[in-house]
Amino acid sequence: MASSSGDDEFVVLVCSDPNNQIETDFSNEEIVISTTDFSTWDYPSTLSFSTFKIQAHRNRLIEESSYFRGLLSGSFSESCLDYISIQWQSETFLNVVRCIFGFRLDITSKNFIPLFQAALYFGVEMLLMQLKSWLSEASLSKDPGLFQIQLEDLIDIWDFGLELDNGFVQEICASYLARNFMWAMSNKIFKDTPYELLLLCIKHPHLTIDGEKHLSDALLIWLHSNTEQLERSSKTECEFFDILKQIRISLLPLWFAAGKRSSISFSELANESVDSIFKLMKVTPKGSMNVLGDGDLSHLRIRLTKYSKKVDLSGCPQITPMILLLSFLPNNHNSYLALRKTIKESASNFEQADGSKCQITQSLLPTLSFEAVLEVDISGCLKLPLEDAIDYFSNSFPFLRRVKAAYLLNFKMTTLYRLIQKCSLVSEVDITVDVNPLISSQLSVISSSSAVISVAPNRAYFVGDKFSMTSLYHLGPSLSNITKLTLEGRSDVCDSHIQYISKFCASLCYLNLKGCISVTDVCMANLICRCTKLQSLLVCHTSFGMNSVLALCNASPSFSNSQSAQFGKRPLDSLASNLQLLHMGGCKCADEASLLELLSQTQMLKSLCLRDTNLVDSALCSFSGSLLEVLDVSNTMISGAALHHVVCTNPGLKCLNARGCKNLFQPENTKKEAKISSSYSCEELFIELGRTCRLEEIALGWGLSYFSLQALKPAILSLRVMTVGLGGTLPEDSLRLLPTTCPLLESLVLYFQVISDCMIINILTSLRQLQTLALCYCLGDISISSFNISMPNLRILKLERVTPWMTNNDLVLLTRNCANLVELSLLGSKLNSDAQCIISNGWPGLISLHLEDCGEVTENGVSSLFNCIALENLLLRHNGSGIQRNFILEAASKMPMLRQVALDVCDAKEGDFDLPDDADRYSLRSVKIARCKSTRCNVGSHFADTTRKPVHRETLVLVWNSTNVVRTVVKERL
């Protein structure tokens, strides 16, 4: 049909979708629409037709599309026609037309590629601009969920850009992946990321990661998953593994680098990393000049971008103020010169000739501010002066909200006050240390003494307490924003510190005082009354008792230790009624009456721990809550009937620990509460658990049997953690069925069970996600064949009194099949001194090692075990009397993360061990040295002599905190 002239003349675009194979009647296969009124378009209905006709202004098409410009205004035969046939995907072409006529499209990662292809084909510059604008905006998003570019779509877009050789698209994809790398690496299809995209991403200046470990993990996972691609690729193996060289190995956590020394693909870099870490740890401030040198310092810069939300430096003892400041400076030569100049000026003010005391001032340097950073973790950063670090954080992380500084004994309470003052927006602080091993109230103390420790003069950096506790307390700062405070294990925290916290941290919602043995019950009660917003309270192994319970149960905002404060009154607005988490395990100061009163008012609780308390049936039955998800009543005197009562009213229970409850399935006492049915059967508890709960963790002993496990089946289909303790009797058939009963099991701990090779093999071959396996004091015959199975996911292995036959050859097999262990405990075996080398070579990344009664492992002293440089917990007892006298000092210096050591004088080559002072202890928190005495053992009348058998006599325990060291001798073996 010939066209007529005029500005408003229309052309009809007849679009057919070549991919639409739906056969319909002629009357229903096409629709006519017009560009004059987009609002009348029924978009979904239009797309249901295989063909549609669009009446469009000819001039608009010519102006906005090079395709239609050439077609309608050139010498083509179609230029004089009113009908033009288009073969294209319907939805995409409709969007192209809408864009041509000024309609803003809803672009997503799903339609980006087809729209881009159409924009290029039809030459619609306006659409190309919209697409590029959308892609740019999406790449700038700090939240991957805000914009709709999922990783699979990003990979498709990258491939599309690579095919077109479009540098803009490739750069945007790499930038987006770099900024959201932490999100991407957790995606299941991260392994499908193209090599070129991944390489460009990790070289991008906006690469944002929490810590260097995360980048290393991601790259190793990618390499492992792309082995076949590597074999098919024209690239050499070295080219692919060159990607690992982008890792800043000097900034890896020590435990991570040590563990990767056994990795085929990472061993060389891991060894370099370990060497670099130890070199940095030995650097004094004066020596920093040599470290800085004159070259590029990028390998020492912590990756920080304007998109960084978390900085994870945990486990990095090599981090110093110099590294922090270097990371806060602009990445250019002038900044490096400024840092060198500052260090040089500081060197002239050294307090000692060797330059052991130094403070680098941040104000003299052009440091940057990273406003997106909300969280910092410096746990285990031994070389970092905390006061200086706080100053740096307050300047460079102005919106910091969460600080974790665990296992740093030099983090004093005055340091906490400084943090609260300097970083006023901080709301969560965690300064956990290991709980004092002398927390049990049942210990028999022979003697105890303490001594104040002095600041070690040979520390590489030194910053004294700039404010005393008294001066800080009277400064009168405004109320802090602290809502979550963890002081776990801080035996140096006393009443005066808690008074400060209660005065200036009135907004506390979460408080962890576990193991704070120096805080009195009255002081805790005062704090509870002041901090009326408390919802979570963890006071395990403290003096938490009747006064604190009264404070929780009292409606009055102020606590009074007067005779008027009594149990029995139950105000609706008590602090206890708002608690959602209460952990008070080991608190013997709370009697039965106070527990009854407390539990009767905690109806909102979701997590409750009453382990090893004076809990009885009447108190547990007084609990009126129905929201419990976690319940720990282990080592208490409760009965199964009382526990059944709680289970019935809390169907959301996910974690249950009733291990060590000897009365759980005993005959009923005559003095039963009315709430408990006298016709209760012990099996009713398991039937009720199976009927109402979906458990994720369970720990039981007395009363657990084949029949009870059968009743539990519906409740444990999603079980992840299972512990069977003393009193539980699961026959081999039950244990063999565990993989089908609990297919998601990740941790299995068995005490005093009957085991066999068949049972162990079945468990290990079926539960491939198992991460923890503990077989302790079990009966039955097992052999090394039980462990002749590859278990790459196993991280913790405890074999205690179950492998008396184990030799060095068996240990070698274990290292091959359980290559990724981080915790190993062997009790009772036939190893010799070569086992040290087997362990250190097979598991160089161990953080916990317990060897007891393991033959002659230490008969010739300890040497190879020092190669387990990341150890945090070490126990060596009754393994041969060859351990050198200075072993503790040597271990602390060669294993900088070592916090707990346990030995036996029986193994001392010279009959005793040298004890470290504060200058030599490095990270040591506690040292336990057991001492035995010999007793005569008559082996029969046929022998003329008798043998002597070592029997435990006493244990010396040294415990350090931020202010003193406590030396205690107890009768018990710890």
Side-chain angles (χ1 to χ4, degrees), residues 694-866:
R694 294 296 176 266
L695 296 173
E696 297 178 4
E697 299 182 20
I698 191 169
L700 289 170
W702 299 98
L704 186 62
S705 64
Y706 172 82
F707 299 103
S708 52
L709 192 64
Q710 293 299 308
L712 272 175
K713 270 188 177 181
I716 57 178
L717 286 174
S718 301
L719 200 68
R720 294 183 296 104
V721 178
M722 183 176 191
T723 300
V724 181
L726 178 64
T729 53
L730 291 182
E732 186 174 339
D733 289 344
S734 295
L735 294 173
R736 190 180 291 121
L737 290 175
L738 275 183
T740 54
T741 307
C742 316
L744 304 181
L745 211 57
E746 297 176 3
S747 174
L748 178 61
V749 180
L750 301 178
Y751 286 89
F752 301 102
Q753 300 303 302
V754 178
I755 57 177
S756 66
D757 278 339
C758 292
M759 183 270 289
I760 300 296
I761 292 172
N762 180 57
I763 287 175
L764 296 182
T765 53
S766 303
L767 298 175
R768 303 306 297 167
Q769 70 276 25
L770 199 66
Q771 298 179 24
T772 299
L773 176 65
L775 305 175
C776 307
Y777 301 91
C778 292
L779 305 175
D781 295 324
I782 64 171
S783 65
I784 192 59
S785 61
S786 291
F787 304 97
N788 195 14
I789 300 165
S790 178
M791 295 170 279
N793 292 324
L794 198 66
R795 307 285 286 172
I796 300 174
L797 178 62
K798 295 182 179 182
L799 302 174
E800 300 180 357
R801 299 298 183 193
V802 294
T803 56
W805 41 260
M806 182 173 287
T807 63
N808 287 11
N809 291 334
D810 301 325
L811 192 62
V812 170
L813 188 64
L814 269 184
T815 62
R816 293 173 182 169
N817 291 325
C818 310
N820 296 313
L821 287 187
V822 294
E823 294 187 24
L824 174 66
S825 178
L826 296 178
L827 177 54
S829 65
K830 298 178 179 179
L831 306 177
N832 61 35
S833 57
D834 292 338
Q836 292 187 40
C837 187
I838 296 171
I839 291 172
S840 60
N841 289 335
W843 299 299
L846 283 177
I847 61 174
S848 178
L849 175 63
H850 288 195
L851 298 176
E852 185 170 357
D853 289 332
C854 288
E856 301 176 345
V857 174
T858 59
E859 187 65 32
N860 298 322
V862 176
S863 55
S864 299
L865 281 184
F866 289 132

Side-chain angles (χ1 to χ4, degrees), residues 483-484 506-511 528 531-538 552 575-583 602 604-607:
T483 59
K484 184 174 182 179
S507 298
L508 272 179
C509 297
Y510 176 103
L511 179 61
I528 290 169
C531 302
T532 57
K533 297 181 181 179
L534 273 177
Q535 294 181 342
S536 300
L537 186 60
L538 295 88
L552 284 172
L575 299 177
S577 64
N578 294 321
L579 284 180
Q580 296 183 18
L581 182 150
L582 175 61
H583 289 189
T602 51
M604 300 301 293
L605 277 180
K606 294 183 179 179
S607 181

Side-chain angles (χ1 to χ4, degrees), residues 442-463:
Q442 300 177 358
L443 290 177
S444 303
V445 177
I446 299 174
S447 65
S448 183
S449 62
S450 65
V452 177
I453 60 176
S454 58
V455 179
N458 63 342
R459 296 295 169 86
Y461 291 83
F462 170 78
V463 178

Side-chain angles (χ1 to χ4, degrees), residues 13-15 31 33 46 49-54 90 93-94:
L13 306 177
V14 182
C15 179
I31 186 175
I33 53 180
T46 301
F49 289 84
S50 60
T51 301
F52 53 82
K53 298 178 180 179
I54 305 176
S90 301
F93 185 70
L94 272 178

Side-chain angles (χ1 to χ4, degrees), residues 439-441 539-544 583-589 609-614:
I439 56 176
S440 175
S441 60
V539 289
C540 300
H541 304 293
T542 66
S543 299
F544 182 91
H583 289 189
M584 50 179 293
C587 293
K588 297 288 190 178
C589 296
C609 173
L610 297 168
R611 178 188 67 253
D612 199 23
T613 62
N614 296 314

Side-chain angles (χ1 to χ4, degrees), residues 542-710:
T542 66
S543 299
F544 182 91
M546 295 180 63
N547 291 315
S548 298
V549 172
L550 277 171
L552 284 172
C553 297
N554 193 353
S556 173
S558 61
F559 172 75
S560 173
N561 191 21
S562 65
Q563 297 297 325
S564 60
Q566 298 177 358
F567 291 130
K569 299 179 180 180
R570 301 185 180 182
L572 297 177
D573 58 344
S574 67
L575 299 177
S577 64
N578 294 321
L579 284 180
Q580 296 183 18
L581 182 150
L582 175 61
H583 289 189
M584 50 179 293
C587 293
K588 297 288 190 178
C589 296
D591 61 15
E592 298 176 10
S594 58
L595 285 176
L596 188 151
E597 184 69 21
L598 178 60
L599 292 179
S600 68
Q601 296 190 37
T602 51
Q603 61 269 17
M604 300 301 293
L605 277 180
K606 294 183 179 179
S607 181
L608 175 62
C609 173
L610 297 168
R611 178 188 67 253
D612 199 23
T613 62
N614 296 314
L615 182 67
V616 293
D617 283 1
S618 58
L620 187 60
C621 288
S622 70
F623 178 68
S624 58
S626 59
L627 304 174
L628 270 185
E629 297 177 1
V630 178
L631 176 62
D632 184 350
V633 290
S634 56
N635 296 324
T636 61
M637 301 301 292
I638 63 163
S639 70
L643 185 56
H644 176 266
H645 169 75
V646 175
V647 170
C648 287
T649 55
N650 290 271
L653 197 64
K654 296 179 181 178
C655 305
L656 174 63
N657 187 347
R659 184 182 162 200
C661 297
K662 296 182 179 180
N663 293 342
L664 203 58
F665 298 99
Q666 295 296 323
E668 307 247 25
N669 295 326
T670 55
K671 297 181 180 179
K672 284 293 177 185
E673 293 292 320
K675 294 181 181 179
I676 305 176
S677 171
S678 59
S679 61
Y680 169 79
S681 167
C682 64
E683 294 301 324
E684 290 182 26
L685 171 61
F686 292 109
I687 294 173
E688 187 64 29
L689 281 168
R691 187 179 67 85
T692 62
C693 299
R694 294 296 176 266
L695 296 173
E696 297 178 4
E697 299 182 20
I698 191 169
L700 289 170
W702 299 98
L704 186 62
S705 64
Y706 172 82
F707 299 103
S708 52
L709 192 64
Q710 293 299 308

